């Protein structure tokens, strides 16, 4: 069999080996059923159990109370850019805190549906920093304030939630979901496509607080209506059964092997520190994109002296099984995505290579 490399892809991204091994065992026949996890009905008792356990595991990990509904939807995080304003923007407007490309896109998509205001944008600084509380130009009447907890492309992450007063926070947590504990009570909606930290592409987890759900419009097409999805328990149409099953296995891994989100956060911080230390000790050979206070624990973005050297870096890294390190086409440079499932050994191997390459 082909050996596994260290996959630093921004998503779809590395999954825990024991999750893949379990899925492999069940691929031909699930125990007690004799049917593959790829073949089983979304109305089966087995899938009832998968939905139930995945929700219960997520509730436990995120300490989500019963006032949050947990949905498994399709269309990726990008559909949420439209679906959330469709459901919640009536006569009010929404505020957007824009700290990177994804937040910008979320804001532009919402503007097609309703009124939006940009409460902050770091575009002029090439999205390398976060706002201070004083810089936020907030509308106290806004329906919600949208922010992106981790900007995957720029590698800019909020260490904690922005202070927006009493207006509900709506968070695109696509690339740091389940990487650290959260104070969920501060959020109205939190959404994340699975393909970075939670599973494979194909399913998007949406947590929506009940009071926001009650404000959602009733006259939308069913597939775009949060109320309909909640009413049908994420089975308004055929959900991506296999993807949800993998999210279940990943949440089990987080609970049983890792030991919860506090432990996960400590491991993630230790991994990120290894790379930022190399960047900071390189005498300017490696230049981090984000200012230190805004550095992402998930996506470490940096540049080398010139594009030729960057190309050589990528080639030599790949020769050592350190793969998918190319930065996003819109910003260039190098990006090491070190999500939950990237083992410490992979990050150590990258840090060692970076030191040697700089020398
Ligand atoms: N938001 C963020 C922060 C992302 O990183 C991504 C995917 N890279 C998206 C939204 C879009 O997700 P999807 O491709 O699932 O629509």
């Amino acid at each position: 069999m082909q050996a596994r490399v260290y996959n630093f892809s921004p998503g779809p991204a590395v999954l825990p080996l024991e999750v893949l091994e379990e899925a492999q065992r069940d691929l031909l026949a699930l125990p007690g059923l004799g049917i593959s996890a790829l073949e089983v009905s979304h109305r089966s008792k087995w899938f009832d159990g998968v939905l139930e356990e995945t929700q219960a595991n997520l509730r436990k990990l995120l300490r989500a109370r019963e006032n949050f509904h947990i949905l498994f939807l399709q269309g990726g995080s990008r559909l949420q850019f439209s679906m959330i304003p469709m459901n919640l923007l009536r006569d009010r407007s929404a505020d957007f805190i824009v700290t990177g490309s994804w937040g910008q896109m979320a804001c532009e998509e919402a503007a097609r549906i309703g009124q939006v205001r940009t409460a902050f944008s770091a575009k002029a600084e090439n999205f390398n920093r976060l706002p201070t509380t004083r810089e936020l130009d907030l509308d106290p009447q806004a329906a919600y304030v949208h922010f992106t907890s981790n900007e995957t492309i720029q590698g800019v992450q909020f260490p904690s939630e922005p202070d927006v007063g009493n207006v509900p926070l709506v968070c695109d947590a696509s690339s740091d979901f389940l990487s650290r504990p959260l104070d969920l009570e501060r959020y109205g909606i939190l959404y994340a496509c699975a393909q970075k930290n939670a599973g494979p592409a194909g399913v998007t987890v949406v947590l929506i607080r009940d009071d926001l759900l009650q404000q959602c419009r009733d006259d939308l097409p069913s597939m775009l209506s949060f109320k309909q999805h909640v009413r049908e328990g994420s089975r308004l149409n055929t959900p991506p059964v296999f993807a949800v099953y993998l999210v279940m296995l990943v949440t089990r891994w987080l609970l049983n092997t890792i030991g919860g989100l506090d432990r996960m956060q400590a491991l993630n911080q230790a991994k990120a520190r290894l790379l930022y230390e190399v960047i900071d000790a390189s005498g300017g050979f490696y230049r981090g994109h984000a200012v230190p206070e805004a550095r992402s624990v998930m996506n470490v973005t940096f540049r080398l002296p010139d594009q030729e050297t960057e190309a050589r870096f990528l080639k030599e890294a790949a020769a050592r099984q350190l793969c998918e390190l190319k930065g996003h086409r819109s910003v260039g440079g190098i990006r090491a995505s070190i999500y939950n499932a990237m083992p410490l050994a992979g990050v150590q191997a990258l840090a060692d290579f970076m030191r040697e390459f700089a020398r």
Side-chain angles (χ1 to χ4, degrees):
M1 199 173 87
Q2 163 77 48
R4 283 171 65 76
V5 300
Y6 287 123
N7 173 14
F8 292 93
S9 164
V14 56
L15 284 164
L17 185 59
E18 64 182 73
V19 165
L20 294 176
E21 284 171 344
E22 179 156 4
Q24 185 183 39
R25 281 197 299 274
D26 290 354
L27 198 67
L28 291 181
L30 287 159
L33 275 188
I35 297 174
S36 165
L38 286 166
E39 302 165 322
V40 65
S41 163
H42 64 296
R43 303 278 175 205
S44 63
K45 271 218 149 44
W46 175 81
F47 193 61
D48 291 345
V50 169
L51 278 177
E52 216 169 281
E53 183 185 334
T54 313
Q55 293 199 0
N57 291 353
L58 286 169
R59 268 189 208 289
K60 205 162 170 186
L61 286 163
L62 294 164
R63 293 192 210 98
R65 294 192 298 130
E66 290 300 320
N67 62 338
F68 274 90
H69 304 275
I70 303 180
L71 294 172
F72 303 101
L73 304 183
Q74 294 168 79
S77 284
R78 288 218 43 181
L79 183 59
Q80 294 309 310
F81 292 176
S82 310
M83 192 166 159
I84 293 169
M86 281 177 175
N87 276 269
L88 285 171
L89 287 192
R90 272 179 239 246
D91 37 7
R92 289 187 293 168
S93 76
D95 280 356
F96 282 75
I97 301 175
V98 181
T99 52
S101 310
W102 290 110
Q104 169 97 30
M105 208 181 293
C107 182
E108 285 164 9
E109 289 288 347
R112 295 168 185 264
I113 310 292
Q115 277 203 18
V116 300
R117 290 173 70 257
T118 302
F120 171 82
S121 173
K123 188 161 193 219
E125 289 121 304
N126 203 11
F127 295 128
N128 70 345
R129 71 175 186 100
L130 298 167
T132 61
T133 303
R134 273 191 36 237
E135 283 177 300
L136 294 178
D137 169 24
L138 296 167
D139 169 11
Q141 304 303 322
Y144 59 85
V145 181
H146 182 281
F147 77 110
T148 313
S149 49
N150 183 63
E151 282 287 353
T152 322
I153 292 175
Q154 283 80 14
V156 164
Q157 185 178 27
F158 280 87
S160 59
E161 296 81 8
D163 184 358
V164 299
N166 291 324
V167 178
L169 278 175
V170 170
C171 177
D172 175 359
S174 294
S175 51
D176 63 3
F177 187 53
L178 302 177
S179 71
R180 57 181 178 181
L182 287 181
D183 180 6
L184 206 56
E185 291 301 321
R186 300 192 56 180
Y187 295 80
I189 299 179
L190 185 125
Y191 63 96
C193 49
Q195 68 266 22
K196 287 116 182 1
N197 263 336
V203 63
T204 299
V205 181
V206 180
L207 288 101
I208 178 165
R209 212 171 64 201
D210 190 59
D211 59 303
L212 261 84
L213 182 75
Q214 299 315 325
Q215 293 170 30
C216 289
R217 293 178 77 113
D218 291 304
D219 57 352
L220 293 167
S222 307
M223 283 299 286
L224 299 171
S225 159
F226 284 125
K227 282 183 174 165
Q228 290 273 16
H229 284 290
V230 166
R231 217 167 283 145
E232 298 297 326
S234 298
R235 281 189 278 202
L236 182 56
N237 74 327
T238 311
V241 170
F242 190 74
V244 178
Y245 158 70
L246 277 202
V247 175
M248 178 185 78
L249 297 183
V250 169
T251 55
R252 249 188 220 170
W253 171 80
L254 280 167
L255 285 166
N256 303 334
T257 304
I258 299 298
L261 297 190
D262 289 298
R263 284 276 305 140
M264 194 68 253
Q265 180 177 36
L267 293 168
N268 285 331
Q269 284 171 340
K271 287 186 290 181
R273 205 174 303 126
L274 284 179
L275 299 184
Y276 288 119
E277 274 170 8
V278 175
I279 291 171
D280 290 339
S282 72
F285 181 75
Y286 298 114
R287 284 171 291 119
H289 175 77
V291 299
E293 309 79 65
R295 283 173 166 178
S296 170
V297 172
M298 298 276 101
N299 311 95
V300 178
T301 49
F302 55 95
R303 302 217 67 133
L304 276 66
D306 52 64
Q307 285 187 8
E308 258 176 18
T309 316
E310 284 171 354
R312 207 178 124 199
F313 178 95
L314 291 170
K315 199 163 160 227
E316 291 187 22
R320 292 165 184 236
Q321 323 299 321
L322 304 167
C323 301
E324 305 293 331
L325 284 161
K326 198 170 170 24
H328 190 269
R329 60 191 180 280
S330 65
V331 297
I334 311 292
R335 168 173 54 171
S337 298
I338 50 173
Y339 299 120
N340 286 352
M342 170 57 66
L344 180 65
V347 180
Q348 266 160 350
L350 176 59
D352 289 344
F353 166 68
M354 285 171 69
R355 264 189 293 267
E356 188 190 314
F357 187 83
R359 265 203 305 277

